[in-house]
Amino acid sequence: MALEILDWHDGRLLAKPVFDALNDLIASGVDEHLVIGVTENTDEESDTDLWCPKYGIPFETTGNVVVVHTHKTRKAPPQFAAAFVTADTRADLNGLVKHTLEVSKVSFAPIAAAVEATGMESGGMSPIGLPAEWPLLVDRRVLDIPELYLGSGIRPSKLVVNGAIFNHIPGARIVDGLGKPRPGQA
C-alpha cells in the first residue's frame, strides 16, 4: 500500500509541540525543504514493526525515539533524555547513551511521565519538539537519510523529513554508532 505525503502546515496531523518546533526551525532560517510532509495511518498500525511492512518503508529509513530517565548517581533523582536511532537498530542505552551523557544509570522513562512531559502520545513520540532542556542524542546515520519517517507526536501519522534537519535541532548531539543492530536485522 502506497503512502501519500501530505502538507504539514495546517498542523492537523502533528502534536502541538512538534508543529511548534517545526515552525520555530523554519522561522530561524532552516530550509523548509528539509520538512517533506506528513503521512496518515490508523492508530492501530502506528507501531513501527507493523507500519513499515504494511507501507513498504524500510526500517533503515524510519526512526524511533526512546525517552529515558538518567541518574547522575544511583540515588540522584531522574532526569529526562532521549535517543533517536533508525528502526533497524536499538539505542545503546547502557553503552553510548550512558557514557555520552556521563551518567551512572539509564532506564526507560515511565510512559505516563514521558507523555505528560512531552505533550505527545505514547507510540507517536517525536525527537522534534521535545522539551528544550532534555539532552537529545541522534545516531549519525540519520543525517544521511533523504526521506526519513519518524513520530509526529501523535499515533495516527508519521512526520517525513530529510535527516539533515537534525543538524539544526537545538541541543541535539550527533553520536556515531548510537544504534546497535536489532536481532534479525542485517
Side-chain angles (χ1 to χ4, degrees):
M1 177 178 275
L3 273 177
E4 182 180 1
I5 298 178
L6 307 167
D7 184 28
W8 64 275
H9 289 91
D10 68 5
R12 179 180 63 85
L13 293 171
L14 299 169
K16 183 172 178 7
V18 177
F19 182 68
D20 291 348
L22 291 173
N23 281 305
D24 289 348
L25 285 169
I26 303 307
S28 74
V30 172
D31 184 349
E32 189 162 352
H33 291 98
L34 294 177
V35 184
I36 298 167
V38 65
T39 66
E40 192 168 12
N41 53 260
T42 65
D43 186 275
E44 295 78 27
E45 65 193 21
S46 68
D47 180 81
T48 303
D49 287 339
L50 299 173
W51 187 86
C52 285
K54 177 169 183 166
Y55 292 104
I57 304 297
F59 287 104
E60 59 269 14
T61 63
T62 305
N64 286 327
V65 67
V66 179
V67 177
V68 297
H69 269 161
T70 64
H71 303 263
K72 285 285 185 190
T73 65
R74 292 275 176 196
K75 295 185 186 221
Q79 301 292 313
F80 283 106
F84 183 62
V85 298
T86 55
D88 62 333
T89 66
R90 296 199 187 280
D92 183 13
L93 297 183
N94 287 310
L96 277 175
V97 171
K98 182 176 165 180
H99 296 298
T100 302
L101 296 176
E102 298 177 345
V103 295
S104 67
K105 182 180 176 188
V106 176
S107 58
F108 291 104
I111 292 170
V115 167
E116 182 179 343
T118 63
M120 299 183 204
E121 295 178 1
S122 175
M125 293 278 171
S126 180
I128 297 174
L130 292 172
E133 65 275 9
W134 288 17
L136 171 61
L137 305 182
V138 177
D139 190 300
R140 183 170 304 281
R141 290 178 49 211
V142 165
L143 302 178
D144 296 325
I145 302 171
E147 194 168 287
L148 174 67
Y149 296 83
L150 58 141
S152 64
I154 61 172
R155 292 178 56 85
S157 65
K158 301 280 186 206
L159 178 61
V160 188
V161 299
N162 182 307
I165 199 168
F166 286 95
N167 285 317
H168 307 283
I169 302 296
R173 294 172 63 183
I174 308 304
V175 180
D176 286 316
L178 184 64
K180 299 297 180 196
R182 284 175 48 181
Q185 298 289 324

